[in-house]
Every structure is written in structure tokens, then in C-alpha cells.
């Protein structure tokens, strides 16, 4: 299986759904989308959900140490022990003790932070609690916006810094808020750049502050599934095929 997967790169994406009573067409939530840079080598000027390719740092064994130190080793079982057939992406053999269900979520959370500034982390004391909520940035050791941007720059430059951020801010990636949604493989038409991407859904009560990085992302929009599909049909924005598919499914939720 591992040899087959060498034909494409592994990736992970988060569909961030934030509650919003003002959304149109009877939807009480909106989805975070970002527009890729026009000079991007893959789907330029396309609106996508935040995410990106897997880095070795996402599967660093130090992550297991961090969860164990915070008494969360057993709590990981709720996202690891999944019955039934699993997509090949989640069955890939890696040179790491970190399960795919954990590493792919870490990748999705890290990339979302890099591209949108939305940091999906939680207090270790509340992790794995279905009633818990994402940490307010103000509670992260009274961290200031400028400091968070510095962390963002550092993580963007080196994925290994993400675990350093979590240790420094006394938080952990909120793996439990990410629900597996689907797995998409780039069609063979894109021979030079193909990705096997895990899509996760993260539902939150309040719309977090999102800021583009002006590197990979040059614009962002919070849209309801219906608004996104209609804008795409009117050619006001261009959604990538997976985004159309996921928005169509969410439109029926």
C-alpha cells in the first residue's frame, strides 16, 4: 500500500463550520473558505477549505509524549479505534508511532493555523470532553495578537515549531473536535500534483477571527453551503471540486 501512495502526497483539510444565525437559506452556520494565490502551482485563484500537505513533524513521536504528559493517552482511543473498512490514507504504514488518525488531524490543525490564523486548540483538562469548547485566544496565557502572529510565522517556516507552541501556551491540538468527513484523491488529470486528502469537520459555536497569510491565501470568505454553490454557479467565485462536493452534502445537512 505504501508504494502505491508514493504517486501522490498525503494531505489534510478542515471544514470549519461556525454557528451564525444570520446566514441565509435557513442555514445557521457558515464555512470558512480561503482563496489560493494566483501563482499557486495547484488550483490557483480557487476557494478551498484550509489545509495542506503532511509534514514529518505532524507525525513526530513527541506528540504522543505531549498527550501522555497531559493524561490524554487513553483519550486518543476515541479517534483511533474506528471499526469497519478504513480509507488507504488511514492505513498507510509510516516510520512513526503516531497513528494516522492523530497525525492527519495535527496536520489539518497546523495548516489551518498557518493559512487562516484560526488556532484549533484546547485546554488539556477539557480535551476529549464533548461539551468543551475551543480555547479563547485571550485565555492562552493572555497572549497578545502580535505574539500569536509571531508564532504563526514561525510555524509557517518550520512545522516542528507547532509542538513548541502547544507546550509554551499549555494547550493541545483539539483532535477530538475534528470529525472524519471524507477522503478525496486528486484525479489523474493532475499528474504533476496529486493529493490524497483527509477532510475533517470542526463545528464551533462562535465565528473565530480569521486572517489570511497573504502567501498561500490571498482572500477568505465565510459562506453558507448554499451561498457558496450559488456564487460558484454565477462565477462570482470558483470552488474546487471537493469543496463543491462537500458543500452540496452540507447543504442537505
Amino acid at each position: 500500500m505504501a508504494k502505491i501512495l508514493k504517486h501522490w502526497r498525503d494531505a489534510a483539510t478542515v471544514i470549519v463550520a461556525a454557528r451564525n444565525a444570520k446566514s441565509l437559506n435557513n442555514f445557521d452556520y457558515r464555512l470558512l473558505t480561503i482563496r489560493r494565490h494566483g501563482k499557486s502551482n495547484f488550483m490557483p485563484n480557487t476557494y478551498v477549505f484550509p489545509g495542506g500537505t503532511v509534514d514529518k513533524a505532524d507525525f513526530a513521536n513527541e506528540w504522543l509524549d505531549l498527550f501522555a504528559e497531559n493524561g490524554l493517552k487513553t483519550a486518543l482511543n476515541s479517534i483511533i479505534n474506528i471499526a469497519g473498512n478504513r480509507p488507504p490514507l488511514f492505513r498507510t504504514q509510516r516510520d512513526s508511532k503516531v497513528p494516522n488518525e492523530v497525525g492527519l488531524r495535527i496536520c489539518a490543525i497546523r495548516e489551518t493555523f498557518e493559512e487562516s490564523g484560526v488556532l484549533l486548540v484546547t485546554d488539556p483538562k477539557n480535551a476529549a470532553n464533548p461539551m468543551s469548547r475551543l480555547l479563547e485566544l485571550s485565555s492562552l496565557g493572555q497572549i497578545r495578537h502580535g505574539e500569536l502572529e509571531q508564532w504563526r510565522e514561525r510555524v509557517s517556516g518550520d512545522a516542528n515549531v507547532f509542538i513548541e507552541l502547544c507546550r509554551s501556551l499549555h494547550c493541545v491540538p483539539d483532535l477530538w473536535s475534528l470529525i472524519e468527513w471524507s477522503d478525496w484523491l486528486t484525479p489523474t488529470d493532475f499528474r504533476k500534483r496529486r493529493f490524497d486528502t483527509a477532510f475533517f469537520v470542526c463545528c464551533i459555536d462562535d465565528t473565530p477571527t480569521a486572517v489570511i497569510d497573504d502567501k498561500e491565501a490571498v482572500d477568505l470568505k465565510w459562506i453558507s453551503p448554499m451561498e457558496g454553490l450559488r456564487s460558484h454557479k454565477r462565477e462570482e467565485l470558483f470552488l474546487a471540486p471537493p469543496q463543491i462536493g462537500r458543500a452540496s452534502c452540507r447543504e442537505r445537512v
Side-chain angles (χ1 to χ4, degrees), residues 82-98:
I82 301 177
N85 293 327
R86 306 290 287 137
L89 176 61
F90 287 91
R91 292 187 279 112
T92 303
Q93 297 296 316
R94 305 180 192 274
D95 296 326
S96 169
K97 296 180 181 179
V98 178

Side-chain angles (χ1 to χ4, degrees), residues 8-232:
W8 47 75
R9 301 177 65 183
D10 294 346
T13 287
V14 181
I15 305 173
V16 181
R19 190 181 300 279
N20 184 341
K22 295 182 179 180
S23 291
L24 302 177
N25 307 114
N26 298 320
F27 290 95
D28 62 353
Y29 64 89
R30 295 183 301 173
L31 309 177
L32 174 60
T33 62
I34 60 173
R35 181 161 64 89
R36 296 181 60 82
H37 196 285
K39 295 183 179 180
S40 173
N41 292 323
F42 186 75
M43 293 190 176
N45 293 317
T46 303
Y47 279 87
V48 299
F49 302 126
T53 54
V54 168
D55 190 281
K56 289 184 178 180
D58 301 321
F59 282 83
N61 292 328
E62 287 79 5
W63 283 110
L64 296 182
D65 296 335
L66 177 64
F67 291 118
E69 292 165 9
N70 287 282
L72 297 171
K73 183 177 180 180
T74 302
L76 293 176
N77 291 334
S78 63
I79 62 173
I80 296 173
N81 299 328
I82 301 177
N85 293 327
R86 306 290 287 137
L89 176 61
F90 287 91
R91 292 187 279 112
T92 303
Q93 297 296 316
R94 305 180 192 274
D95 296 326
S96 169
K97 296 180 181 179
V98 178
N100 287 305
E101 290 81 2
V102 173
L104 289 170
R105 281 174 168 83
I106 291 173
C107 169
I109 292 172
R110 173 184 57 78
E111 284 284 349
T112 296
F113 178 52
E114 291 181 20
E115 295 183 339
S116 70
V118 175
L119 185 57
L120 303 175
V121 296
T122 189
D123 186 327
K125 297 178 181 178
N126 296 325
N129 181 349
M131 296 303 294
S132 67
R133 294 292 181 267
L134 297 175
L135 280 176
E136 291 293 334
L137 296 183
S138 59
S139 67
L140 294 176
Q142 302 302 316
I143 187 171
R144 295 188 296 271
H145 177 73
E147 293 177 277
L148 192 65
E149 279 302 308
Q150 291 177 7
W151 277 114
R152 183 181 178 185
E153 284 288 333
R154 292 183 60 195
V155 173
S156 296
D158 182 0
N160 291 286
V161 175
F162 190 40
I163 191 169
E164 181 183 338
L165 176 155
C166 291
R167 289 188 182 279
S168 180
L169 301 184
H170 306 291
C171 62
V172 293
D174 195 355
L175 310 183
W176 300 269
S177 71
L178 270 63
I179 308 301
E180 286 185 30
W181 185 257
S182 63
D183 178 16
W184 279 69
L185 179 62
T186 308
T188 54
D189 293 348
F190 296 82
R191 295 182 179 180
K192 293 184 178 180
R193 286 182 176 272
R194 299 186 67 200
F195 301 93
D196 190 1
T197 305
F199 281 75
F200 299 95
V201 175
C202 178
C203 300
I204 51 182
D205 277 340
D206 302 309
T207 302
T209 301
V211 181
I212 57 173
D213 61 3
D214 269 330
K215 296 176 182 178
E216 296 183 60
V218 294
D219 188 25
L220 66 83
K221 291 182 183 295
W222 288 96
I223 55 176
S224 74
M226 181 62 73
E227 290 170 328
L229 293 172
R230 287 182 175 177
S231 294
H232 176 80

